[in-house]
Amino acid sequence: MKALQGLRGFAERAWLVALGLVLWEVVTRAVGETYFPPPTTIVKTLHEQWFSGPAGQLFLSDDALDDFSTSLAHLFIGWAAAGAVGVVIGASIGRSKVLNELLDPVLQFLRAIPPPTLVPFFIMVFQLGATMQVVTIAFGVVWPVLLNTADGVRTVDPLQLETAKVFGIGPLRRLLTIILPSAAPKIFAGLRVALSFALILMVISELFGSTAGIGSELIDAQRTFELPRMWAGIVMLGVLGFLFNAVFMLLERRLLSWHAGAQRLAS
């Protein structure tokens, strides 16, 4: 019964996508526009480029192993570094009025700078390569985590903190057992937004002098006027973004299920 309900729910959500793909196929074949290949051509190119490998490699081609490992390594290293820095700084300024007043102008200034505009600077400092790409990603995605963490720790119930002090619980233990768990929903929301930004910045960082990665494939296809290959890269990025969001939301629901239960008991 649950399986049928799941299939019905999937069909209700997917019908519009299927209709859009059919219309895209019909219109592009009727118009014959070079710049907009039909979906079947894009899927064929996608298969040939990245999913035509042996079963022992999960059907991933050698290009896929090279491109995906390079791009995803940079993405997750940059995102994880930004997450760690964002939580530490966000928790610090969220619980300290002095630090907040001291650092807020600097943070607001840095947050307002579009990360792509700093790519030339990062290239001069770190040279072309993995370090530059990771730094570009980390700088661009740290802000949602930092600001959400700061906002989350500010809204912790003061009664819980006062009770912890009465029972002699020290500052570090209060941070780890009360403050951060209470702020966890906002921290996870910031991490999820940061993950989508990381995918965008991963591509941008790979457009400059990179020889491997999905972004490198995109710019190479554009330069050689291989439009189906270029569209295959765009579609692959969309699929990755969808999968990242779906997996993260699943993990978020599982990891924060205790928080929802605690709220229900409190109410």
Side-chain angles (χ1 to χ4, degrees):
M1 188 67 178
K2 289 184 178 180
L4 291 176
Q5 291 177 345
L7 288 174
R8 181 180 177 182
F10 175 78
E12 289 176 349
R13 293 191 299 270
W15 73 268
L16 186 58
V17 176
L19 179 61
L21 289 173
V22 171
L23 290 175
W24 183 1
E25 181 78 23
V26 172
V27 171
T28 50
R29 288 197 176 276
V31 173
E33 173 58 58
T34 305
Y35 292 99
F36 297 97
T40 50
T41 301
I42 296 172
V43 170
K44 180 182 177 182
T45 305
L46 192 66
H47 172 264
E48 292 173 350
Q49 184 173 354
W50 284 316
F51 298 101
S52 57
Q57 295 181 181
L58 300 178
F59 302 103
L60 295 174
S61 66
D62 292 337
D63 286 342
L65 293 176
D66 190 24
D67 293 336
F68 292 170
S69 62
T70 300
S71 293
L72 297 184
H74 296 161
L75 185 152
F76 285 115
I77 292 173
W79 176 69
V85 172
V87 170
V88 171
I89 297 178
S92 299
I93 65 176
R95 299 306 302 174
S96 173
K97 185 177 180 180
V98 174
L99 274 179
N100 181 55
E101 293 178 351
L102 181 65
L103 296 179
D104 185 67
V106 177
L107 295 176
Q108 294 300 331
F109 172 79
L110 293 174
R111 184 173 71 93
I113 301 175
T117 64
L118 289 176
V119 171
F121 169 74
F122 290 147
I123 291 175
M124 287 190 297
V125 175
F126 300 104
Q127 306 300 316
L128 291 172
T131 302
M132 180 276 292
Q133 293 166 9
V134 170
V135 170
T136 300
I137 294 169
F139 177 85
V141 307
V142 69
W143 308 111
V145 184
L146 190 156
L147 297 175
N148 273 35
T149 301
D151 187 48
V153 300
R154 288 192 193 104
T155 58
V156 176
D157 186 358
L159 180 60
Q160 294 184 16
L161 298 177
E162 291 299 325
T163 304
K165 287 182 181 179
V166 170
F167 282 94
I169 298 176
L172 180 59
R173 190 177 174 189
R174 286 202 303 271
L175 175 68
L176 297 177
T177 60
I178 298 175
I179 296 173
L180 289 181
S182 297
K186 290 196 173 183
I187 294 174
F188 271 83
L191 287 169
R192 179 153 52 89
V193 173
L195 186 57
S196 63
F197 287 168
L199 184 64
I200 297 170
L201 290 171
M202 176 200 78
V203 177
I204 293 174
S205 67
E206 289 177 348
L207 296 180
F208 296 87
S210 179
T211 58
I214 302 173
S216 175
E217 288 289 337
L218 274 173
I219 196 66
D220 186 60
Q222 181 263 327
R223 286 169 179 166
T224 56
F225 210 68
E226 298 179 67
L227 296 179
R229 182 176 159 214
M230 185 186 74
W231 276 98
I234 294 171
V235 170
M236 191 69 247
L237 290 171
V239 171
L240 287 175
F242 172 81
L243 292 176
F244 289 164
N245 186 69
V247 172
F248 191 90
M249 289 186 67
L250 178 63
L251 291 175
E252 183 179 0
R253 282 196 295 267
R254 289 183 178 275
L255 292 174
L256 296 183
S257 59
W258 64 269
H259 194 276
Q263 285 185 323
R264 284 195 295 270
L265 288 175
S267 61

